[in-house]
């Protein structure tokens, strides 16, 4: 039995993620009323605290969606034995706070000599830019809970052997390149420290950016993984234009992908 990065279950999980994001960002925008532009020092910390609580609540829902997806994939693969998926913890409040402080860093006044271009914008423009950055950061933190749930399940489940990255149509070049790698961990070996060591340090596989819609796809013992048509095209582009150029692969792939997309029908890959 084969699995793919474009199976119906993957599409359903992406749709569930999108729905969760829609609700999350709606509630996040509702919290903007807590910020008083005339009292930033007093109100921004209150806003950060409220957003951290929102992230924790939605991260739990995201992790549950990830667990449901994993259970469904495991059942479809007819894996022997039982396995209980552990839900990933919500991000620590400190991580959320740091992300929000980064998003709002241009709100605070600076001496003229230290001011950036962003600091020279009117306050309402800076505030809108800060809220946009916060939207992206919060979306990533929440969806990562679902991704981490699946990734950790693959690490712990004796019936799982690998995971691949599934990227959406029109994704960025980084996500397309990582998705084209397929089920990267093709030989997990024995379960335990040796297996877990194989998952250490592969940020290129597990890193997700703001507004990223990529998903980790588990592959189970006895399953084959097949790239979707779009991922096969991304792989072809990489092999033709970027492979064999250490240190330049992503730059060359990005340029080639941009050119190929400009010449292809919209939504092709």
């Amino acid at each position: 039995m084969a699995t793919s990065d474009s199976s119906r279950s993957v599409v359903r999980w992406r749709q569930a993620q999108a729905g969760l994001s829609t609700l999350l960002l709606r509630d996040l925008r509702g919290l903007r009323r807590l910020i008083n532009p005339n009292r930033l020092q007093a109100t921004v910390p209150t806003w950060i605290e409220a957003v951290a609580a929102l992230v924790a609540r939605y991260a739990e829902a995201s992790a549950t969606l990830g667990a449901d997806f994993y259970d469904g994939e495991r059942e479809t693969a007819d894996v022997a034995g039982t396995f209980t998926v552990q839900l990933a913890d919500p991000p620590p409040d400190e991580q959320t706070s740091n992300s929000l402080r980064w998003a709002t860093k241009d709100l605070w006044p600076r001496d003229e000599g230290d001011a950036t271009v962003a600091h020279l914008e009117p306050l309402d423009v800076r505030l809108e830019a800060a809220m946009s950055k916060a939207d992206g950061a919060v979306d990533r933190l929440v969806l990562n809970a679902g991704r981490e749930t699946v990734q950790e399940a693959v690490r712990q489940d004796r019936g799982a052997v690998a995971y691949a990255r599934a990227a959406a149509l029109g994704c960025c070049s980084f996500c397309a390149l990582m998705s084209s790698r397929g089920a990267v961990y093709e030989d997990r070996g024995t379960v335990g420290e040796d297996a877990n060591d194989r998952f250490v340090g592969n940020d290129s596989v597990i890193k997700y950016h703001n507004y990223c819609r990529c998903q980790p796809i588990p592959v189970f013992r006895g399953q084959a993984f097949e790239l979707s048509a779009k991922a096969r095209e991304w792989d072809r582009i990489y092999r033709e234009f970027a492979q064999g150029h250490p240190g330049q692969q992503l730059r060359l792939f990005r340029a080639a992908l941009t050119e190929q997309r400009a010449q292809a029908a919209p939504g092709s890959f």
Side-chain angles (χ1 to χ4, degrees):
M1 180 181 297
T3 186
S4 170
D5 58 318
S6 62
S7 66
R8 291 181 180 178
S9 57
V10 171
V11 173
R12 286 195 297 269
W13 187 27
R14 181 171 289 123
Q15 290 171 339
Q17 284 180 312
L20 189 67
S21 291
T22 297
L23 296 176
L24 168 68
L25 296 179
R26 179 204 63 189
D27 289 351
L28 181 59
R29 292 186 188 102
L31 293 179
R32 294 184 184 184
R33 69 183 186 279
L34 296 176
I35 298 179
N36 183 337
N38 298 316
R39 301 177 60 243
L40 291 177
Q41 289 189 340
T43 58
V44 168
T46 300
W47 171 77
I48 289 177
E49 184 177 349
V51 173
L54 183 72
V55 167
R57 187 169 74 250
Y58 271 91
E60 184 176 352
S62 175
T64 300
L65 288 175
D68 289 346
F69 168 73
Y70 189 89
D71 285 339
E73 294 296 280
R74 197 177 195 276
E75 182 178 357
T76 298
D78 197 23
V79 180
T82 60
F83 176 75
T84 301
V85 179
Q86 299 297 314
L87 301 184
D89 292 330
D93 285 350
E94 182 179 4
Q95 182 181 4
T96 301
S97 296
N98 287 340
S99 295
L100 296 175
R101 281 193 287 268
W102 163 82
T104 56
K105 62 183 177 64
D106 291 333
L107 291 179
W108 311 109
R110 291 187 182 181
D111 293 336
E112 185 175 347
D114 296 328
T116 64
V117 173
H119 281 97
L120 300 177
E121 295 285 354
L123 179 57
D124 62 331
V125 174
R126 285 183 282 140
L127 185 57
E128 186 60 33
M131 294 301 97
S132 179
K133 290 179 181 177
D135 286 352
V138 165
D139 182 77
R140 174 176 50 80
L141 289 171
V142 165
L143 295 189
N144 274 353
R147 296 166 180 141
E148 290 168 6
T149 294
V150 173
Q151 289 164 187
E152 186 59 29
V154 171
R155 296 185 182 102
Q156 301 298 329
D157 187 359
R158 291 179 178 271
V161 296
Y163 65 81
R165 183 179 183 124
L169 282 171
C171 65
C172 73
S173 55
F174 174 83
C175 292
L177 181 57
M178 294 304 102
S179 180
S180 74
R181 296 175 66 183
V184 175
Y185 301 105
E186 294 178 317
D187 180 17
R188 180 172 165 180
T190 60
V191 175
E193 291 184 2
D194 177 61
N196 288 335
D197 284 347
R198 294 170 186 259
F199 288 86
V200 173
N202 283 274
D203 286 343
S204 62
V205 177
I206 63 176
K207 187 182 346 181
Y208 303 100
H209 56 77
N210 290 357
Y211 298 116
C212 188
R213 290 298 176 261
C214 287
Q215 304 145 286
I217 308 303
V219 181
F220 298 95
R221 204 170 301 281
Q223 270 191 324
F225 180 81
E226 297 178 352
L227 289 174
S228 61
K230 66 178 184 295
R232 288 196 301 272
E233 179 63 10
W234 295 333
D235 183 56
R236 181 196 67 78
I237 293 171
Y238 170 76
R239 293 178 185 278
E240 181 174 350
F241 297 99
Q243 189 175 42
H245 298 277
Q248 302 183 62
Q249 291 100 324
L250 183 57
R251 179 182 64 81
L252 293 174
F253 177 76
R254 181 186 298 114
L257 179 63
T258 299
E259 182 177 353
Q260 296 281 318
R261 280 175 168 171
Q263 298 174 1
S268 298
F269 55 91

